[in-house]
Amino acid sequence: MTTVDEQLTTYLTDAHSIEEQALAQLRMAPRMAGGPDLAAPYREHLAETEGHERAVRERLHAHGASPSRVKDLVMQAGGLGFALFARLQPDTPGKLAAHSYSYEHLELATYELLRRVAERAGDEETATVARTNGAQEEAMAQRLQDSFDRAAEASLKAKGTQDMAEDVVRYLADAHAIEAQAVQLLSRAPKIAGDEELERLYREHLSETHDQQRLIDARLQALGGSPSALKDAAMRLGALNWATFFQAQPDTPGKLAAFAYAFEHLEIAGYELLARVARRAGDEETVALADTICAQERAAARRIAGTWDRALDAMLRAQGVAG
């Protein structure tokens, strides 16, 4: 049996590793953003993130602990890998904005859970750090959302295509692949949710996600396109790996909820960009579809955010945490 204080130290260690990954991404992001105005938010947030890392490290030291070198190195490598992936895409600015938007929400979820653990441990200084860092992550996410128009424009310019309808098909194929990953993840999530309400939420959204994938498939066919088998398979494999990772964690319910929340925002960003590309192509039917599904993803994200306390309770039960 562990104590709340021990669990707090674990969550601080995780938060530090997440910030190390964010730093790796943010140091490369301005060069891939698609222009000075798109690069500016990443440069601004890099300075904030350096402050986040210091604050979390100081709270670890206050608890007689230190960052995990292994976790930090793994997360740094992941951050560099993501940046290289984004750079190799034909629509780098959009992919970068979408994945960064999702990552900001992973950080926000991490601080929501950290704050709750800190409050239960009576550590107001750590709770304050979590509130401050979380507010800045949320503000950065809003800056990224405000940049979606410019990111879409920069992506289309970078691709240099003259066929806007072809771009719509590509973005629809990307959306189909992301939904394939969501289906795979949500199919396993109820088994490891650790809480009846969380289990119900994941099952309900799985049904909704199946419907979304069918709608995307139908729209692709209407435009003479089809899902990308390669993209779908890669995304399903990624989801399977994530589900296996969560199942191996001692605090699965909290980590799963945080990742699901971030993944909803990856989908939100994808549909925001799809709507913008479709609007430029004059494809109002695809715009309407993207807007409808995007609203559903936002509602799902809000429902997940409403379960932070339940996720934390489930995590503490799984850990056998004593007060």
Side-chain angles (χ1 to χ4, degrees):
M1 180 175 288
T2 61
T3 67
V4 175
D5 284 337
E6 289 170 333
Q7 191 59 43
L8 175 57
T9 299
T10 297
Y11 260 66
L12 279 166
T13 302
D14 289 344
H16 189 272
S17 297
I18 286 172
E19 293 295 359
E20 287 289 353
Q21 185 172 58
L23 286 169
Q25 293 173 179
L26 287 165
R27 286 171 182 140
M28 294 184 70
R31 299 194 294 275
M32 304 182 292
D37 58 334
L38 287 166
Y42 296 108
R43 289 198 175 94
E44 292 170 10
H45 194 52
L46 174 58
E48 290 178 336
T49 301
E50 289 169 343
H52 299 171
E53 183 277 327
R54 285 193 299 272
V56 172
R57 178 162 31 89
E58 287 169 4
R59 292 314 303 153
L60 273 168
H61 291 164
H63 283 265
S66 58
S68 166
R69 181 165 176 78
V70 173
K71 283 184 180 180
D72 286 358
L73 287 172
V74 168
M75 294 296 275
Q76 286 168 4
L80 290 171
F82 158 71
L84 290 172
F85 162 78
R87 178 178 282 179
L88 293 173
Q89 301 306 300
D91 54 346
T92 294
K95 286 283 193 302
L96 179 64
H99 283 268
S100 297
Y101 182 72
S102 174
Y103 199 83
E104 290 304 318
H105 285 90
L106 176 62
E107 292 180 286
L108 176 57
T110 297
Y111 285 119
E112 287 285 350
L113 292 167
L114 175 61
R115 174 177 66 79
R116 286 165 168 78
V117 177
E119 288 173 347
R120 295 192 188 194
D123 183 349
E124 184 53 37
E125 289 183 71
T126 296
T128 297
V129 166
R131 288 190 202 98
T132 300
N133 289 6
Q136 291 181 342
E137 308 295 9
E138 190 168 24
M140 176 57 178
Q142 185 60 54
R143 292 197 293 274
L144 288 167
Q145 181 173 313
D146 292 343
S147 77
F148 285 158
D149 277 332
R150 285 168 289 146
E153 291 283 4
S155 289
L156 293 174
K157 182 178 179 181
K159 290 173 71 175
T161 181
Q162 301 301 313
D163 188 346
M164 293 294 292
E166 185 179 322
D167 285 321
V168 173
V169 169
R170 286 199 186 99
Y171 274 76
L172 279 165
D174 286 347
H176 193 278
I178 290 175
E179 293 295 357
Q181 186 171 28
V183 166
Q184 190 74 31
L185 181 65
L186 289 166
S187 294
R188 299 191 66 180
K191 304 181 186 71
I192 55 177
D195 175 86
E196 288 184 3
E197 178 63 21
L198 286 164
E199 180 181 338
R200 182 189 63 78
L201 189 157
Y202 295 137
R203 289 190 191 282
E204 287 180 356
H205 193 48
L206 173 60
S207 177
E208 192 172 49
T209 301
H210 278 301
D211 290 340
Q212 292 166 351
Q213 193 174 41
R214 281 193 290 270
L215 289 169
I216 293 294
D217 190 40
R219 189 66 196 138
L220 270 169
Q221 291 183 30
L223 294 174
S226 62
S228 166
L230 182 60
K231 286 182 180 179
D232 284 3
M235 295 295 270
R236 282 196 296 267
L237 179 60
L240 183 63
N241 289 340
W242 275 113
T244 302
F245 164 78
F246 290 129
Q247 199 160 8
Q249 301 302 303
D251 55 348
T252 291
K255 281 193 168 64
L256 177 61
F259 181 80
Y261 180 71
F263 196 84
E264 288 304 316
H265 286 87
L266 177 62
E267 293 182 283
I268 288 165
Y271 285 113
E272 290 280 6
L273 293 168
L274 170 60
R276 285 161 171 79
V277 172
R279 186 168 288 113
R280 284 159 177 75
D283 183 351
E284 290 303 321
E285 193 167 344
T286 298
V287 172
L289 176 61
D291 287 346
T292 296
I293 297 178
C294 189
Q296 292 172 345
E297 305 295 9
R298 287 191 183 279
R302 288 193 295 271
R303 290 195 296 273
I304 294 170
T307 69
W308 296 139
D309 286 313
R310 295 188 72 95
L312 178 60
D313 287 340
M315 179 270 290
L316 293 176
R317 287 196 302 271
Q319 289 282 81
V321 171

